Amino acid sequence: MLRKGVTESFGAAISSLNAAHLTETVVRRSKRMILDTLGVGLLGTTSGVFGKVLQYSKMYNASNTSTVWGKPDISLPPQYAAFVNGVAVHSMDFDDTWHPATHPSGAVLPALLALAESMHTRPSGLELLLAFNVGIEVQGRLMRFSKEAHNIPKRFHPPAVVGVMGSAAATAKLLGLERTQCREALAIAASYAGAPLANAATQTKPLHIGNATRRGLEASYLALLGLEGNKQVLDIESGFGAFYTDYSPDPLPPTSSYRWVLEDQDVAFKRFPAHLGMHWMADAAAAVRGRLLTRNVDFQQIEKIVLRVPNSRYINCPFPASEHEARHSFQFNACSALLDGRVSVESFSRCERDRAELKDLLAKVQVESPADNQPNFDTMYCDISVELQNGQSFTERCNRFYGHWKKPLSQEDLLKKFKANATTVLPLESVEGIIEAVDNLENIRDCSVLSTFLQVNEKTLFLNTTSC
């Protein structure tokens, strides 16, 4: 039967894609995404915003509960476990990033793990992998229906729009919903979508991921119960087209000749917890620092610092007043990398942000936006020039940082990042267990083994980001 529209084709693809469609590249890349997401999520459970949403979510009780990562004494209804774990993933802006711009994994994985724990028949690791990739795929396809989506966002935070659709698709797949129910899940999820960019650089931004993963799960539950929505929600301007002024959707190809977006487009893994644009700047600034040190330059001799970056207001923050603003500040990340040679988790602590020498450098920064430097994560660059009092000038430019989807982290460095993040919460035995489970995921009979490893036992470590 010929498919009648875009929404119908998405419902059919979600329902009919199976494990045989997964390729070696897709499995390898998605395992890296899963491992990285678990690591940044565990680290995120030490953040202040996680504590607040956990306190809120504990108000809700149910006989059917799921794991809160790193909290063995707390379980929540599946949708709230998905919510708080999703918030944890994005609490430090440390999660993976795709192009067109979104954070794909955090909107999907927490919902899938919470759902898997609550199901009478536990899904296998291969079923989890398939559902995860369906959720990633839906996000990738939707973003490619708009040229506007390829640029650094201006109006809304993309995970709050495409992320909830990915969560709905993934959980619908894991629940085994049939084609029309998958279509309804997408329609329901579309009415949960959206979050203004004004809340970027605040504690509320991580809620965008938490809400996306939770609401997508709720949409699938409601579709399972028979709730209906617009059957052309992905086809029409007043449907998903409401989010993009240039929305131009196409039906998905038949699954008999299906090729995953992840097959052709890898994801970016961040080396430090900040907005993706900061990684270009940090690499450029660290390179300038290296040149200054080889010439024994005293940093007090710096007269002016010029940053040449894409024009994007919400990541242009001259004097950040909080860790969240600092994560969205070209100026802060440039000066931190100049002083320290790198940017790290600790760079955003209060004592690091309050350093007198850092504030002195921030006061010397000027920002320019050259016409050739467009706000696009695939083509942008960051350029830094440091001018000394004696007239000397040192300039470095980063066209593509290490960790970008076109310059991916090695498996060794990805594992180092995961271990550094996960061991802030879990004992080493649990961390090694997660690595082994993810590496062997397609052969595991019960994917909820991951949730077992995500619980603290024997010890709890604390990451203090508020004191020196």
Side-chain angles (χ1 to χ4, degrees):
M1 180 182 296
L2 292 176
R3 294 173 185 167
K4 296 180 180 180
V6 177
T7 312
E8 180 68 22
S9 76
F10 271 72
I14 294 167
S15 176
S16 59
L17 283 168
N18 59 59
H21 290 100
L22 295 173
T23 66
E24 181 180 349
T25 297
V26 166
V27 168
R28 174 175 53 82
R29 288 178 173 175
S30 58
K31 283 182 179 181
R32 282 162 57 89
M33 295 164 74
I34 289 170
L35 188 67
D36 185 68
T37 302
L38 293 174
V40 298
L42 286 164
L43 178 64
T45 65
T46 66
S47 67
V49 63
F50 172 83
K52 290 180 174 65
V53 299
L54 179 59
Q55 185 178 2
Y56 158 74
S57 297
K58 285 166 66 176
M59 295 167 55
Y60 298 89
N61 296 300
S63 57
N64 192 14
T65 60
S66 301
T67 295
V68 175
W69 299 354
K71 303 290 180 182
D73 55 337
I74 302 174
S75 59
L76 295 171
Q79 65 270 34
Y80 285 100
F83 173 60
V84 297
N85 292 333
V87 169
V89 168
H90 197 57
S91 64
M92 298 183 184
D93 218 323
F94 210 0
D95 44 330
D96 59 21
T97 308
W98 220 5
H99 179 74
T102 196
H103 302 285
S105 299
V108 172
L109 187 61
L112 288 176
L113 291 181
L115 174 59
E117 280 190 89
S118 70
M119 296 174 67
H120 178 70
T121 301
R122 299 289 176 83
S124 68
L126 185 58
E127 289 171 315
L128 178 73
L129 265 175
L130 176 61
F132 178 81
N133 277 287
V134 166
I136 300 302
E137 178 73 5
V138 165
Q139 294 178 75
R141 292 285 180 171
L142 289 174
M143 289 186 296
R144 280 159 177 76
F145 293 159
S146 164
K147 292 182 180 179
E148 175 190 346
H150 286 67
N151 296 328
I152 296 176
K154 295 180 179 179
R155 297 181 294 114
F156 59 81
H157 193 206
V161 173
V162 296
V164 67
M165 308 299 284
S167 175
T171 52
K173 186 63 181 177
L174 201 63
L175 283 168
L177 301 191
E178 52 96 13
R179 183 176 66 179
T180 58
Q181 291 174 314
C182 293
R183 182 193 65 205
E184 301 301 348
L186 293 176
I188 298 164
S191 280
Y192 282 141
L197 203 58
N199 272 325
T202 74
Q203 281 193 328
T204 295
K205 187 186 180 189
L207 271 64
H208 300 169
I209 293 287
N211 282 330
T213 194
R214 167 195 170 190
R215 295 301 192 183
L217 175 55
E218 289 181 357
S220 291
Y221 279 147
L222 291 169
L224 178 63
L225 293 171
L227 191 70
E228 297 179 353
N230 190 298
K231 294 172 175 49
Q232 293 184 304
V233 73
L234 299 183
D235 298 73
I236 56 179
E237 184 178 342
S238 59
F240 200 76
F243 297 106
Y244 297 99
T245 57
D246 61 349
Y247 184 66
S248 181
D250 291 310
L252 293 186
T255 54
S256 59
S257 57
Y258 204 85
R259 184 174 179 85
W260 304 84
V261 174
L262 189 59
E263 182 82 26
D264 301 315
Q265 170 74 62
D266 206 345
V267 298
F269 296 107
K270 299 177 179 180
R271 304 196 317 277
F272 58 89
H275 182 277
L276 192 71
M278 305 305 112
H279 291 68
W280 278 270
M281 181 51 68
D283 279 10
V288 167
R289 171 188 165 85
R291 293 178 62 191
L292 294 174
L293 291 179
T294 59
R295 291 163 174 78
N296 297 316
V297 172
D298 185 341
F299 280 27
Q300 292 184 348
Q301 299 173 13
I302 294 177
E303 178 77 18
K304 182 170 66 173
I305 302 169
V306 179
L307 310 181
R308 299 176 186 89
V309 299
N311 183 16
S312 182
R313 292 182 181 179
Y314 91 101
I315 46 178
N316 182 353
C317 186
F319 299 100
S322 70
E323 63 172 293
H324 297 283
E325 289 185 0
R327 299 184 201 281
H328 295 75
S329 167
F330 278 124
Q331 296 90 334
F332 176 87
N333 287 273
C335 293
S336 290
L338 272 176
L339 284 175
D340 305 324
R342 58 178 174 78
V343 182
S344 67
V345 174
E346 292 75 21
S347 299
F348 302 94
S349 66
R350 183 180 297 277
C351 56
E352 293 294 299
R353 299 196 319 268
D354 287 347
R355 289 180 291 173
E357 57 269 39
L358 178 66
K359 292 182 177 180
D360 181 60
L361 285 182
L362 284 171
K364 299 175 181 179
V365 175
Q366 298 178 13
V367 173
E368 299 176 357
S369 296
D372 70 335
N373 197 2
Q374 295 301 303
N376 180 300
F377 287 137
D378 208 39
T379 61
M380 65 173 277
Y381 64 86
C382 284
D383 184 299
I384 177 172
S385 293
V386 174
E387 299 180 17
L388 305 183
Q389 293 170 354
N390 62 9
Q392 282 186 291
S393 179
F394 300 86
T395 300
E396 289 288 344
R397 172 169 164 169
C398 177
N399 292 309
R400 187 169 293 153
F401 67 89
Y402 178 47
H404 190 276
W405 44 85
K406 292 184 177 178
K407 192 177 181 181
L409 290 184
S410 67
Q411 186 65 12
E412 180 183 5
D413 285 341
L414 186 77
L415 287 171
K416 285 180 181 178
K417 176 188 173 182
F418 172 75
K419 289 181 179 180
N421 288 335
T423 53
T424 62
V425 175
L426 299 180
L428 184 58
E429 311 89 86
S430 295
V431 172
E432 296 287 356
I434 293 172
I435 294 172
E436 183 177 357
V438 172
D439 188 50
N440 196 42
L441 196 54
E442 67 269 38
N443 300 313
I444 292 176
R445 291 185 178 182
D446 180 357
C447 69
S448 65
V449 67
L450 278 173
S451 297
T452 302
F453 286 124
L454 288 165
Q455 296 297 285
V456 177
N457 53 57
E458 297 182 7
K459 69 174 182 177
T460 302
L461 301 178
F462 296 94
L463 179 68
N464 188 343
T465 61
T466 60
S467 60
C468 299

